Amino acid sequence: DVKVTQSSRYLVKRTGEKVFLECVQDMDHENMFWYRQDPGLGLRLIYFSYDVKMKEKGDIPEGYSVSREKKERFSLILESASTNQTSMYLCASRAQGRGHSYEQYFGPGTRLTVT
Amino acid sequence: DQQVKQNSPSLSVQEGRISILNCDYTNSMFDYFLWYKKYPAEGPTFLISISSIKDKNEDGRFTVFLNKSAKHLSLHIVPSQPGDSAVYFCAASARRDMRFGAGTRLTVKP
């Protein structure tokens, strides 16, 4: 059974702290994604990675960085958390290549509050 | 600038009737379209998809229609059931990335 796990369901951090959000998938998927979900804005793509050590900016990369050292793990880093980064963060993974669908599998999400 | 738009934030229908959710996109490079369903406190789950070479795909009560010339797709749910109440996201993909709309909250009343 497909599984994407995220390190925390709820997280509270202070302004200026460095924050790490971890995502692990067990499906040997090449592609991994980080989104944030905000009311009225839906899911906005922050970064994605199409292979180990490869990354591309999404629509809202400012204030974030990512790391993909191993195929199964994709980390989102907030270098200096700010209150406008309070949001629900969702990680997803997807197989790449011929014969694979475009379907993404999502983790349960991390609700981050920055105070 | 959102490349995928769902202009109706909410929709309410009676149990047994048809639900129609709409989605528009701007990027002509998108070649695959998906619908996801999301319950509170859970990640989105895949519902149904369609390739740009087709104009219709059906799976049980769910049908997705694609109008490429209008850059428009829709999801039909027939008959609607109370368990279908959730937020529905439209998504579009071009090569490696994936973009989502803002979502439509569907409420199916018994």
Side-chain angles (χ1 to χ4, degrees):
Chain A
D1 200 17
V2 162
K3 197 150 189 181
V4 179
T5 56
Q6 295 183 228
S7 49
S8 305
R9 292 300 302 269
Y10 300 95
L11 209 52
V12 180
K13 294 292 181 180
R14 292 193 180 277
T15 301
E17 277 193 83
K18 190 169 186 175
V19 182
F20 293 86
L21 302 182
E22 303 284 338
C23 176
V24 178
Q25 51 99 358
D26 65 358
M27 297 159 283
D28 202 36
H29 284 169
E30 291 81 6
N31 299 169
M32 295 187 76
F33 305 77
W34 274 107
Y35 296 90
R36 61 178 281 179
Q37 182 191 1
D38 299 289
L41 298 175
L43 276 68
R44 291 181 292 165
L45 182 63
I46 305 172
Y47 267 98
F48 65 102
S49 168
Y50 50 90
D51 209 340
V52 177
K53 296 190 186 295
M54 308 303 284
K55 61 185 178 185
E56 283 194 31
K57 293 180 181 179
D59 295 323
I60 50 163
E62 297 78 19
Y64 303 95
S65 62
V66 290
S67 172
R68 183 116 181 256
E69 296 298 316
K70 293 185 177 181
K71 193 174 187 180
E72 68 271 18
R73 189 178 297 268
F74 191 35
S75 302
L76 180 69
I77 303 147
L78 288 67
E79 294 290 340
S80 177
S82 63
T83 54
N84 63 13
Q85 292 179 309
T86 291
S87 186
M88 168 70 84
Y89 289 87
L90 290 158
C91 174
S93 73
R94 181 180 75 182
Q96 177 75 41
R98 296 181 89 176
H100 292 290
S101 75
Y102 284 62
E103 175 189 348
Q104 289 176 316
Y105 296 87
F106 281 85
T110 296
R111 169 74 63 186
L112 172 67
T113 302
V114 182
T115 60
Chain B
D1 183 31
Q2 279 206 295
Q3 298 181 51
V4 179
K5 297 178 184 178
Q6 293 176 257
N7 293 319
S8 298
S10 63
L11 175 68
S12 181
V13 300
Q14 208 65 36
E15 181 178 7
R17 307 294 289 267
I18 184 171
S19 295
I20 300 177
L21 294 92
N22 293 301
C23 178
D24 297 292
Y25 61 95
T26 57
N27 187 344
S28 57
M29 298 299 292
F30 289 141
D31 60 0
Y32 208 83
F33 304 89
L34 308 91
W35 284 94
Y36 285 80
K37 180 177 178 180
K38 186 179 186 300
Y39 293 115
E42 293 181 12
T45 54
F46 171 73
L47 195 56
I48 192 169
S49 63
I50 188 167
S51 162
S52 59
I53 62 173
K54 294 186 176 181
D55 55 18
K56 178 182 174 181
N57 187 28
E58 210 169 334
D59 183 3
R61 296 186 297 114
F62 302 91
T63 303
V64 55
F65 295 91
L66 176 63
N67 182 335
K68 278 184 65 179
S69 60
K71 294 191 176 69
H72 177 83
L73 64 153
S74 60
L75 174 68
H76 292 209
I77 307 173
V78 183
S80 302
Q81 299 173 353
D84 296 330
S85 297
V87 177
Y88 289 78
F89 290 100
C90 168
S93 183
R95 297 198 311 163
R96 297 173 178 143
D97 68 354
M98 183 82 75
R99 295 297 197 277
F100 284 78
T104 296
R105 181 177 300 280
L106 173 66
T107 303
V108 180
K109 297 179 178 177

